[in-house]
Amino acid sequence: MPTGRHVEENAMHPFRKAVEERDLEAVEALLADDVVFTSPVAFRPYPGKAVTAAILRGVLRVFENFRYVREIASADGRDHALVFKAEVDGREVHGCDFLHFDDDGLIDDFTVMVRPLSGATALAEAMAAQFDRIQQEAAGS
């Protein structure tokens, strides 16, 4: 018996829709206050809505030609995997956003994984260049 389901295009998750429309207010509204963001290029997770929102704004600044190509949801709808493709500094990146939703329907756990190594390296370098701005944005929230 399958434990997940493929989500049809017309049933797009609100997070996916917000990201694809680059609606940063809608993205932030879907984050729980106690969300934990786990980056593909940093060792430690980042707890909290302000820093997670700032990181996501930074990611949208560095990703070029970003698009989700597949959406997979658990049967209960509390877990989603959003497969994406993008470019960073001319390097192709394939990745997946793993989202978990709390009882209120807000994202409380957000993990990103990317490949290949050359794409992950380009992403790490591009995000490192954004780090001061991300910290300032998170502090200002």
Side-chain angles (χ1 to χ4, degrees), residues 83-98:
V83 180
F84 64 84
K85 292 184 179 181
E87 295 164 20
V88 177
D89 214 20
R91 304 266 168 124
E92 189 170 294
V93 176
H94 295 201
C96 191
D97 292 338
F98 295 98

Side-chain angles (χ1 to χ4, degrees), residues 11-125:
M12 183 184 304
H13 191 275
F15 178 82
R16 176 181 178 176
K17 185 176 189 303
V19 170
E20 289 182 344
E21 292 177 356
R22 300 180 83 79
D23 184 345
L24 300 175
E25 288 182 19
V27 169
E28 189 167 351
L30 291 166
L31 300 175
D33 289 338
D34 63 348
V35 64
V36 176
F37 180 82
T38 304
S39 164
V41 296
F43 176 72
R44 68 177 178 83
Y46 296 92
K49 183 175 186 171
V51 70
T52 300
I55 290 168
L56 294 176
R57 287 190 297 271
V59 167
L60 288 176
R61 288 190 294 265
V62 302
F63 274 152
E64 303 158 8
N65 301 315
F66 179 89
R67 65 218 174 270
Y68 285 117
V69 296
R70 188 173 314 127
E71 180 177 342
I72 304 163
S74 63
D76 66 2
R78 294 200 53 187
D79 291 285
H80 281 257
L82 301 171
V83 180
F84 64 84
K85 292 184 179 181
E87 295 164 20
V88 177
D89 214 20
R91 304 266 168 124
E92 189 170 294
V93 176
H94 295 201
C96 191
D97 292 338
F98 295 98
L99 310 175
H100 180 268
F101 294 84
D102 65 14
D103 291 336
D104 296 322
L106 299 175
I107 300 166
D108 62 358
D109 188 65
F110 192 132
T111 300
V112 180
M113 295 192 181
V114 297
R115 64 165 301 281
L117 180 58
S118 60
T121 300
L123 178 59
E125 291 169 358

